[in-house]
Amino acid sequence: MKGDYQELVDEISALLGEPATLENRDFGLIAFGAHDSDDDSAMDPVRTRSILTRKSSPAVRAWFEGFGITRATGPVRIPAAPDAGVFRDRICLPVRHRGVVLGYVWLLDAEPGPSHAQLTAAMEVAARIGELLADEERAGADLSRELRAALTAERGWQYDMALTALRTALGPDAEGLHTLVCLAPWPTEDTPSPRTIPGAAALCALPWRPAAGPPLGQGAATGAGQGRQAPGPAGRSGTTSGPGSASGGQASGPGAQTGYGRQASGPVGRTGAGAGRAIAGAAPDAAPSPYVPGSAPADGGAARALAVLVRLRSADNLSPATAAATRLRGSAVAGVATPRRGLAELDTAWREACSGARAALVQPALGPVAEWAAIGPYRLLTALPPAEPDPAVRALLTPAHTELARTAEVFLDHAGQAGRTAAALGIHRQTLYYRLSRVEQLTGLDLDAGEDRLLLHMALKAARL
């Protein structure tokens, strides 16, 4: 295919007596004619950059598009603009197919310039280029169907057949080095053309299971007291009102011990009159909790992800994949799988890419583009099948106790160091100790015990996925 483009570009160069370049509609270089002149003015910074980097800058693209080339059906003459690095006049031949612009042929213009007959002949060649580009786009669309079939089929004969079809469509590239990128949530069933994404072999949209809720800390803050019920000592419920909420405030009273050997400001499970502060957002009607299942997409349809199969040159360099993710993602996050040679483990790669995206959704510090190899414990957590929360933590994961769950997670994230946890949460240590005592009471877990900490930490992380 590349040879066909080069032959057609050379044909236009011969017709017009000037070296031509061919770019796709995103100004990515496809082919260019030889520059035999010893005259330095035969090149300018824009053309040099296009050939050396195989693309033009956004500013240059905006400059040229300002002359209406995306709508033009015939040659467009563009004057020089030294301030923009365009030192020579240009002629642009839009490459169209069935009314859709697919690319541009560029020539440097000089007096007296090509004749009308020459330009007409060149536009006929440009139309043949348009047919090639359209065929390539159609092939990319067909490849998307094969990629979707391979990613949605379960292991077995259907998966094997889908892989065979995908290998056939990819040709020799099928045995090369690839990775998969998952972008989620993807807002539409439509997908960009692989031609617009450097390194992309195929793209497809497919169903996606979203993460449970917003990132940690969104919609949870301290505030003025509101009356709520909180369990009292030994599982009894004690009524709290105004500034004395038990779900997150400070308790009054002399030195009761917490379960980890520190002084709390009141008896465990009870609140002193008016001494504490309630937790805004802890009521069931508050902002969604990151620890309970989320709702369906706002448009009422099924959630979707975009899968991108990206060719790599080296397993140590994922930049083509991260660049594709950055270019495509918009408001989505992205996960990138471990590179693999060939397609045999395509389903495993897709699970890794989805895991990276899910981890980036619930832990923004990992994203917005997260490589599977870098998501740490989420590699294990995202591989677990969906399950009900452990009975010990079920009460803690209800919306009424969002702030206590958040406190416990931050405490465990900071390896149980009270000072760092209190600073991260912006609360007093005594408030932290009180909240942790409430966590112990709700769960029956001992935060001084390693296995209990492990269970609680995993349960909190898993609940947000």
Side-chain angles (χ1 to χ4, degrees):
M1 189 70 78
K2 290 291 185 184
D4 295 336
Y5 290 133
Q6 187 62 58
E7 289 176 5
L8 293 172
V9 167
D10 290 342
E11 185 176 341
I12 291 177
S13 298
L15 278 171
L16 302 183
E18 288 286 345
T21 60
L22 170 63
E23 295 178 335
N24 62 27
R25 59 184 158 205
D26 289 319
F27 285 63
L29 184 68
I30 298 175
F32 60 93
H35 289 70
D36 297 328
S37 174
D38 294 328
D39 182 6
D40 291 339
S41 65
M43 296 283 284
D44 63 13
V46 168
R47 173 162 282 202
T48 301
R49 174 190 169 94
S50 174
I51 292 174
L52 293 180
T53 68
R54 309 196 71 80
K55 62 182 179 181
S56 295
S57 70
V60 168
R61 174 176 176 172
W63 166 262
F64 286 131
E65 288 180 343
F67 288 91
I69 60 174
T70 60
R71 301 180 302 276
T73 57
V76 178
R77 279 191 158 88
I78 299 174
D83 291 344
V86 182
F87 292 167
R88 297 280 303 276
D89 295 348
R90 275 170 169 70
I91 297 175
C92 174
L93 308 180
V95 176
R96 308 183 78 89
H97 181 73
R98 295 184 178 177
V100 178
V101 66
L102 300 176
Y104 308 99
V105 174
W106 297 94
L107 302 107
L108 298 177
D109 196 10
E111 293 296 338
S115 67
H116 176 74
Q118 287 176 305
L119 289 174
T120 299
M123 284 299 297
E124 291 175 358
V125 180
R128 287 153 55 196
I129 295 175
E131 291 176 1
L132 284 180
L133 288 172
D135 287 343
E136 195 167 348
E137 285 207 346
R138 281 193 293 272
D142 293 340
L143 203 59
S144 295
R145 289 193 290 272
E146 302 306 332
L147 178 61
R148 185 183 300 107
L151 296 183
T152 55
E154 295 184 3
R155 284 267 180 169
W157 66 270
Q158 290 178 320
Y159 178 74
D160 293 340
M161 287 184 63
L163 281 191
T164 299
L166 185 57
R167 286 192 184 100
T168 301
L170 285 171
D173 283 350
E175 300 309 315
L177 194 65
H178 297 89
T179 188
L180 270 171
V181 177
C182 170
L183 294 107
W186 188 250
T188 174
E189 293 182 359
D190 297 330
T191 62
S193 166
R195 287 288 304 158
T196 65
I197 310 299
L203 304 91
C204 70
L206 66 171
W208 159 256
R209 187 173 74 83
L216 179 65
Q218 290 188 7
T222 58
Q226 300 174 15
R228 296 180 180 88
Q229 291 290 98
R236 292 183 286 109
S237 68
T239 303
T240 64
S241 61
S245 169
S247 63
Q250 296 179 355
S252 65
Q257 292 286 332
T258 68
Y260 17 89
R262 296 183 176 87
Q263 293 286 340
S265 52
V268 173
R270 291 188 286 113
T271 58
R277 290 190 300 274
I279 304 302
D285 59 349
S289 168
Y291 304 100
V292 295
S295 58
D299 62 4
R304 292 172 291 264
L306 181 71
V308 187
L309 183 65
V310 181
R311 294 181 291 266
L312 300 175
R313 293 184 178 180
S314 167
D316 298 327
N317 182 10
L318 286 173
S319 59
T322 55
T326 300
R327 179 168 183 166
L328 284 166
R329 72 178 192 84
S331 60
V333 296
V336 182
T338 302
R340 288 173 170 80
R341 192 168 294 280
L343 302 177
E345 298 182 23
L346 195 67
D347 55 347
T348 302
W350 178 238
R351 286 194 294 271
E352 290 181 359
C354 289
S355 294
R358 291 173 62 198
L361 276 172
V362 300
Q363 189 60 271
L366 296 173
V369 179
E371 298 176 17
W372 183 82
I375 62 175
Y378 288 100
R379 294 198 296 266
L380 173 63
L381 291 169
T382 54
L384 297 174
E388 290 295 319
D390 188 90
V393 299
R394 199 166 291 160
L396 182 63
L397 298 179
T398 60
H401 298 300
T402 297
E403 190 68 14
L404 290 180
R406 175 174 180 260
T407 298
E409 185 172 7
V410 175
F411 175 72
L412 295 168
D413 285 346
H414 287 84
Q417 297 184 31
R420 291 174 58 201
T421 304
L425 292 170
I427 60 176
H428 192 276
R429 279 199 189 202
Q430 292 298 101
T431 303
L432 172 64
Y433 300 152
Y434 174 73
R435 292 185 187 177
L436 294 176
S437 73
R438 292 282 295 114
V439 170
E440 289 186 321
Q441 183 184 53
L442 280 169
T443 62
L445 300 175
D446 179 1
L447 293 183
D448 279 339
E451 288 190 355
D452 283 4
R453 283 193 182 191
L454 177 61
L455 171 60
L456 180 58
H457 209 178
M458 288 184 65
L460 289 169
K461 296 294 187 188
R464 301 205 294 133
L465 291 167

